[in-house]
């Protein structure tokens, strides 16, 4: 019985070696046919598998990273072609901006001019009085920024995804 087992193991090892030798032989034959051909085919395969950069998806919630106080910051939400920015305090939220949003069409940094919904902002005490506002997205830091003016002071608000 032991002889049959060792004979079976030997047959499996032989079959495995024959399979590996056959695979190695065809690789050597193709590589000896022309090194420049295999090199150019290799680079083409690498180029075709490289990921294509896609435009950033900015939809979602954002929060201010450079607030001057622990008690007040700005949050934003981008959804459905609209950006809404609110002043946020521990016990209240007040509208600052609501306007149009143009999604990126190319990879990398992105800027757009948001047209404000002046009707909605007219009734909000802390809302911007601007008709348009420039928003900027920096891809390398995944950061959204814009200038905000309140009580005669303009600051650049910087936001990260929540």
């Amino acid at each position: 019985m032991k002889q049959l087992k060792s004979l079976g193991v030997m047959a499996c090892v032989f079959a495995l070696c024959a399979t590996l030798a056959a695979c190695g032989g065809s690789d050597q034959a193709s590589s000896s046919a022309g090194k420049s051909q295999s090199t150019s085919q290799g680079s083409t395969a690498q180029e075709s598998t490289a990921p294509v950069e896609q435009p950033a998806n900015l939809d979602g919630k954002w929060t201010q990273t450079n607030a001057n106080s622990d008690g007040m910051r700005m949050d934003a939400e981008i959804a459905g072609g609209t950006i809404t920015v609110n002043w946020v305090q521990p016990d209240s939220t007040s509208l600052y901006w609501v306007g149009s949003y143009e999604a990126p069409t190319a990879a990398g940094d992105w800027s757009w001019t948001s047209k404000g919904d002046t009707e909605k902002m007219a009734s909000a005490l802390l809302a911007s009085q601007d008709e348009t506002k420039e928003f900027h997205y920096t891809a390398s830091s995944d950061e959204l920024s814009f200038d905000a003016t309140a009580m005669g002071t303009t600051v650049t608000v910087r936001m990260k995804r929540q």
Side-chain angles (χ1 to χ4, degrees):
M1 188 70 165
K2 285 183 181 181
Q3 277 185 327
L4 283 176
K5 277 186 181 179
S6 48
L7 187 58
V9 169
M10 295 284 280
C12 287
V13 169
F14 178 77
L16 182 60
C17 289
T19 303
L20 291 175
C23 290
S26 65
D27 284 342
Q28 289 173 349
S30 65
S31 66
S32 66
K35 230 177 184 163
S36 62
Q37 182 182 7
S38 65
T39 303
S40 66
Q41 287 176 349
S43 65
T44 303
Q46 288 175 349
E47 289 173 33
S48 64
T49 60
V52 177
E53 287 190 52
Q54 298 293 319
N57 178 357
L58 306 185
D59 286 357
K61 296 184 180 192
W62 299 76
T63 194
Q64 185 175 2
T65 58
N66 65 336
N68 289 335
S69 144
D70 291 335
M72 182 178 262
R73 70 174 193 278
M74 291 184 132
D75 284 350
E77 183 170 5
I78 298 176
T82 301
I83 181 167
T84 304
V85 180
N86 291 303
W87 292 103
V88 178
Q89 297 181 44
D91 297 325
S92 67
T93 300
S94 302
L95 180 66
Y96 174 74
W97 181 264
V98 62
S100 61
Y101 161 68
E102 296 173 28
T105 58
D109 295 351
W110 183 254
S111 294
W112 77 95
T113 301
S114 177
K115 184 173 186 256
D117 186 335
T118 54
E119 284 184 35
K120 286 183 181 177
M121 292 187 297
S123 62
L125 184 62
L126 298 176
S128 172
Q129 301 300 307
D130 298 332
E131 290 185 13
T132 62
K133 184 164 288 294
E134 287 290 319
F135 287 87
H136 309 280
Y137 172 73
T138 306
S140 61
S141 58
D142 194 32
E143 180 181 80
L144 186 65
S145 63
F146 61 94
D147 288 342
T149 302
M151 297 180 279
T153 303
T154 301
V155 297
T156 299
V157 175
R158 301 185 185 289
M159 300 182 143
K160 292 279 191 178
R161 293 177 199 268
Q162 287 186 6

